[in-house]
Amino acid sequence: MSDDDTDNHPEAHDHAVVLGAGIAGMLAARVLAERFARVTLVERDELAEAAPAFRPGVPQSRHVHVLWSRGVRLIEELLPGITEKLRARGAALLNSPRDFLWLSPADWFHQVHGSEILLASRELLDWTVRREVLRHERIRLRAGSQATGLVGGPDGRSVTGVEFRDGDPLAARFVVDATGRTSRAPAWLAALGHPTPAVTRYDSHLGYSSRYFDLPPDPARRWRGLYVQGRPDVPRGAVLIPQDGEERWLATLIGNGEHAPPTKDDEFLEFARSLRSPALYDALREAKPLSSATAFRSTANEWRHYERLDRWPAGFVVLGDAACRFNPVYGHGMTVAALAADALRREIAPLGPRDIPAAARRIQRRTVAEAEVAWQIATSEDLRYPGTEGPPADRATKFLQGYMARVMAGANSDPAIADRFFGVLSLSAPPNTLLSPGTVVRVLSKWRLPTSPTATPYPPHHAPPDTP
């Protein structure tokens, strides 16, 4: 935004607008409140205030969500005390894989230390973060409001506000689009005379089907979560975790392509029974269903390459899933949103409100760069599945796939490899951690891929339940 544009809209002198009140948008709003006198957080949905509740704009919320350790730390830094507030409402802070029964593509994980992980319903996460963000005196929420476009400066060189379906435009010095996978930013930029970004997309055609259960008490249950992973030859898996306490558990079935899990209630348990281990079926067979099954199929990896555009308007940035989204089975979306917010914070820290708009192009590149590791993990793993649509794996990717299969085999029981593997998976350590000379020698000299295509029904450290 030029000074002339600001003069035409004096109410925008020290005002930022964030579109989308998901995790990415809320964290961005909190960051911008450190530099702008006013921040308006705009959300299309009406938002519940009294208690956590489902909303249409987050359809994936009825499925398993995890927040890896890096995301926990970054959100805690931005909103001090929020981790304990989440735990007070039933969120669980666990160690993965130590606190889980986890059957990897190679074998069962032993009780090795890995990474801290926070388990909570998406509704509780969103509601708690929103309450903390809105405590800031500079942030105001505008819910039930649909943005329809951007207000542009001369020749589309800057963004000076937002247009709405109902009501007058809202002037702003800085606008963030964090509206997620439904973002209309390409069309909005085109309307200002900017080119459409190139898109890279990988789709393994993964599907979810989830259902809530009341699990009967079991004094012998020593695990806090259960995960049976699929693999290319058996592309079916499932997760079972507690939701906001131990009174309610969420089971999410996972399958690729023609193995997509059923949405009919009477077929749910039969799919669970078809997994590589009976452990999850055994856990559910006497459980009481608390809901019908709910499906989710929009799981493709998609990167809109705004960072490659030759021209970029001042005063506008696209964050979160609106710029780059991942197959959610790897659990990285919210942690990457926290990484992007942290990058935004670093970029604007030395700048005043009048200087931030001109830095938009650099901010766009720096924030989306935080998605690179999660993108590499998700796309390289998805490319193991023959039905995945997208650019084919190159030689380097195929080599790393083979190496990572051996890393996984080692991480199942080797504490040193597990520590490094989960450091990378949690986005706490760089990928080259697994390529250090000591790690490579340890992996290649000690670990081979399992010769048997099947694993034992239960891990050695856990006795199976009595069969009825």
Side-chain angles (χ1 to χ4, degrees):
M1 178 186 296
S2 69
D3 289 342
D4 289 342
D5 298 331
T6 304
D7 292 339
N8 293 332
H9 300 282
E11 72 278 14
H13 279 208
D14 208 1
H15 181 215
V17 172
V18 178
L19 305 176
I23 295 294
M26 291 188 290
L27 297 181
R30 178 60 184 82
V31 167
L32 292 172
E34 297 175 356
R35 285 292 176 268
F36 289 88
R38 292 188 303 126
V39 179
T40 302
L41 180 61
V42 178
E43 172 53 48
R44 178 182 59 186
D45 291 341
E46 296 290 350
L47 300 176
E49 297 182 6
F54 172 81
R55 63 184 181 91
V58 192
Q60 69 274 27
S61 70
R62 288 172 170 162
H63 309 277
V64 166
H65 278 70
V66 301
L67 184 63
W68 286 103
S69 56
R70 184 76 182 280
V72 174
R73 290 196 299 270
L74 289 173
I75 295 176
E76 179 66 26
E77 289 175 10
L78 198 57
L79 303 170
I82 192 169
T83 306
E84 285 308 310
K85 290 178 181 178
L86 284 163
R87 294 181 71 183
R89 289 187 169 270
L93 198 59
L94 306 178
N95 185 274
S96 175
R98 187 191 63 201
D99 297 327
F100 289 72
L101 285 189
W102 183 339
L103 178 58
S104 80
D107 206 338
W108 290 101
F109 275 103
H110 292 207
Q111 291 181 295
V112 292
H113 178 88
S115 171
E116 190 175 68
I117 191 169
L118 186 120
L119 303 181
S121 69
R122 179 61 186 268
E123 292 89 348
L124 176 62
L125 281 163
D126 276 14
W127 183 77
T128 307
V129 170
R130 186 165 66 246
R131 282 169 62 91
E132 294 304 301
V133 167
L134 293 180
R135 289 181 189 275
H136 199 291
E137 62 183 3
R138 295 182 177 182
I139 302 174
R140 295 292 179 268
L141 176 65
R142 178 171 170 170
S145 191
Q146 174 70 58
T148 57
L150 302 172
V151 178
D155 302 324
R157 293 175 297 178
S158 63
V159 169
T160 60
V162 181
E163 295 178 342
F164 294 93
R165 178 171 296 169
D166 300 311
D168 296 330
L170 186 60
R173 183 179 287 278
F174 196 69
V175 176
V176 173
D177 178 4
T179 55
R181 62 190 66 233
T182 62
S183 169
R184 298 283 298 156
W188 294 350
L189 288 170
L192 298 181
H194 291 270
T196 300
V199 177
T200 304
R201 180 183 173 90
Y202 292 88
D203 190 355
S204 66
H205 302 286
L206 180 137
Y208 279 167
S209 182
S210 296
R211 198 177 187 189
Y212 293 101
F213 289 87
D214 178 8
L215 265 62
D218 181 1
R221 185 187 303 134
R222 298 189 300 273
W223 47 268
R224 302 289 304 281
L226 204 162
Y227 185 16
V228 177
Q229 276 187 272
R231 60 190 190 190
D233 62 322
V234 188
R236 295 182 173 210
V239 187
L240 178 64
I241 61 171
Q243 287 284 273
D244 309 341
E246 301 249 345
E247 294 79 19
R248 186 178 65 149
W249 291 68
L250 178 60
T252 292
L253 307 180
I254 306 164
N256 295 73
E258 63 183 17
H259 294 269
T263 55
K264 293 181 179 179
D265 293 346
D266 58 354
E267 298 175 358
F268 197 91
L269 280 183
E270 283 306 307
F271 186 95
R273 197 173 194 170
S274 71
L275 304 180
R276 293 168 54 219
S277 161
L280 194 135
Y281 170 78
D282 288 341
L284 292 180
R285 67 188 183 197
E286 300 297 329
K288 177 184 176 182
L290 300 178
S291 70
S292 295
T294 302
F296 186 69
R297 299 289 188 264
S298 182
T299 61
N301 307 282
E302 186 173 276
W303 191 320
R304 294 175 174 176
H305 294 286
Y306 296 110
E307 77 283 0
R308 296 179 183 174
L309 294 178
D310 293 332
R311 295 176 58 241
W312 188 257
F316 182 61
V317 166
V318 184
L319 289 183
D321 283 3
C324 183
R325 60 187 175 99
F326 320 94
N327 184 338
V329 76
Y330 307 103
H332 285 143
M334 294 187 295
T335 296
V336 171
L339 286 165
D342 185 58
L344 174 65
R345 194 181 200 185
R346 294 195 307 270
E347 290 300 313
I348 69 172
L351 305 176
R354 299 178 71 89
D355 303 315
I356 292 174
R361 187 177 186 183
R362 186 180 75 245
I363 293 170
Q364 184 65 47
R365 290 174 173 173
R366 298 286 173 82
T367 52
V368 79
E370 298 295 335
E372 182 63 39
V373 174
W375 176 263
Q376 290 176 359
I377 292 172
T379 56
S380 63
E381 288 301 307
D382 279 2
L383 281 169
R384 294 183 188 274
Y385 292 83
T388 297
E389 295 180 2
D394 56 22
R395 287 185 177 181
T397 299
K398 291 178 181 178
F399 171 81
L400 286 174
Q401 285 175 335
Y403 176 71
M404 287 305 299
R406 292 175 73 164
V407 169
M408 175 70 83
N412 283 169
S413 58
D414 186 323
I417 297 177
D419 180 68
R420 295 162 196 169
F421 172 76
F422 280 96
V424 174
L425 187 61
S426 66
L427 307 183
S428 300
N432 59 14
T433 300
L434 294 171
L435 297 174
S436 67
T439 302
V440 171
V441 170
R442 190 179 187 96
V443 169
L444 297 183
S445 64
K446 293 185 63 176
W447 299 103
R448 298 290 186 270
L449 299 182
T451 56
S452 172
T454 60
T456 58
Y458 277 83
H461 60 274
H462 183 89
D466 294 333
T467 302

